[in-house]
Amino acid sequence: MQNGYMTDTISAIATPIGSGGVSIIRISGAKAFEIIDKLFSVKNIVPNRIYHGNIIENGEKLDDVIVLPFKSPNSYTGEDVIEIQCHGGVYITNKILDLTIKSGARLAQKGEYTKRAFLNGKMDLSQAEAVLDLIQAPTEKFASSTAKNLFGKLSLEISNIRHEIMELLSKIVAAVDFPEDVKEPEYSYIENTIENILEKINKILSFSKSSNVFRQGVKIVLAGRPNVGKSSLFNALLNLDRAIVTDIAGTTRDCLQETLDIDGIPVTIIDTAGIREGENINKVEAIGIDYSKKYQQEADLILFLYALNDGFTQEDERIFETIKDKNYIKIAAKSDLTNNKDESSVCISLKTGDNLDILKEKIKASVINQNLTEVEFITNKRQQKCLEETKNALINALIGAQNRQIQDLISIDVKSALMFISEVSGEVVTDEILNNIFDNFCIGK
Ligand SMILES: Nc1nc2c(ncn2[C@@H]2O[C@H](COP(=O)(O)OP(=O)(O)OP(=O)(O)O)[C@@H](O)[C@H]2O)c(=O)[nH]1
Ligand SMILES: [Mg+2]
């Protein structure tokens, strides 16, 4: 931690910038009460009350505000905190923020309130990360799962695991340090304990993939030749006239992206330029085609379209070859223009709306399949990495115990498992890790 970092009093706007009913400016630190005393028409305010009064500058009333005082340790950050609720105008909010700075606060850094809450023991690291998740949650389902972490679901499980590792370590170390007084634990006891702990860690990790899907969402990419109806389908799925549709082959150049919520999973749908080769392709379309190929490779699901009335052409075949190893749904479009059938595809018509419901169901099933089960423990990549490292260290210790290695050596692996698990909740954490986490927050949180 930087010198003097935690002793500064910080101030920032806690609400989004823009015109609105109310904006909140939050001051945190030892000088919070002193600062509000300089600016507020009501003097000597005490905590746990709500005050109505004016912000005064040079004897002039600037705004009519509500002030909420909190006394350390009973506040979000654990420090003295003053919240000023003013009218939600951009000018007035910035003006009041400015006055708090002139009166002795400094502008808060990104996530500094939550970082202080963590450093002051108001929450552990996984709860602080849950705050960020909740702010950024793209869907209701993710928000409700991550809220469980905010209330300590993951922290509690990690703390139990940590406790069990610590107990195992102390039993081994006690016998190593005091061989005359303390009996060495049975190897079978060490093995059973580690196996039990590994089971708990594996359970949390079994939700990693689903956690990541919830967090990053699923990418669906439309692919196929020009003019087969990709943009038309894109618009139909979004229920929006988003992409330009014409009968000119090569209409779409740039990749267009929109998001949808499918059963709580954030889904990004990407419309791409139709892929073709030949001499009448200009530079712009060629760039678009390169993008299409790139997006298709990154897709979690590809909606591959061909025109049923044209049949499955060589060109369709060539494009299909490049995506067939990926997760795809094959769609025969423009079924209204022909009596042709294709059993291996979903035959749709955007003109008549034929089979569009069936296609939507298929897309939903594929998206949900990737998400597998209900997510009991939401984790992020950092937490998953710490848990993987804990697991590896414990597996080494287990192998040591199975081979009846001397227990002094086994204790080394158990000790590193303890270090790794402690990183999840933040008992052991470096400045670099903290800065990485809180850099993702916005200013004012
Ligand atoms: N009859 C009929 N016409 C369709 C259907 N779907 C799309 N079209 C028409 O086919 C033409 C091409 O549609 P687009 O959606 O622009 O095709 P695209 O695949 O995005 O084409 P590019 O952007 O050039 O790659 C337009 O004239 C659409 O109106 C359909 O189901 N039936
Ligand atoms: Mg298009």
Side-chain angles (χ1 to χ4, degrees), residues 312-326:
F312 200 66
T313 64
Q314 267 191 349
E315 187 71 347
D316 292 320
E317 178 70 51
R318 224 179 37 73
I319 301 169
F320 185 66
E321 277 298 308
T322 65
I323 61 114
K324 73 175 195 318
D325 295 331
K326 305 217 45 135

Side-chain angles (χ1 to χ4, degrees), residues 224-233 244-253 271-275 285 305 333-337 348-352:
R225 265 185 321 118
N227 238 354
V228 290
K230 296 181 295 301
S231 299
S232 308
L233 179 59
I244 299 171
V245 169
T246 74
D247 57 0
I248 304 165
T251 302
T252 306
R253 305 292 176 86
D271 183 22
T272 64
I275 294 181
E285 190 179 349
L305 278 86
K334 307 193 187 186
S335 63
D336 57 286
L337 295 178
I348 62 162
S349 163
L350 293 168
K351 198 153 196 179
T352 63

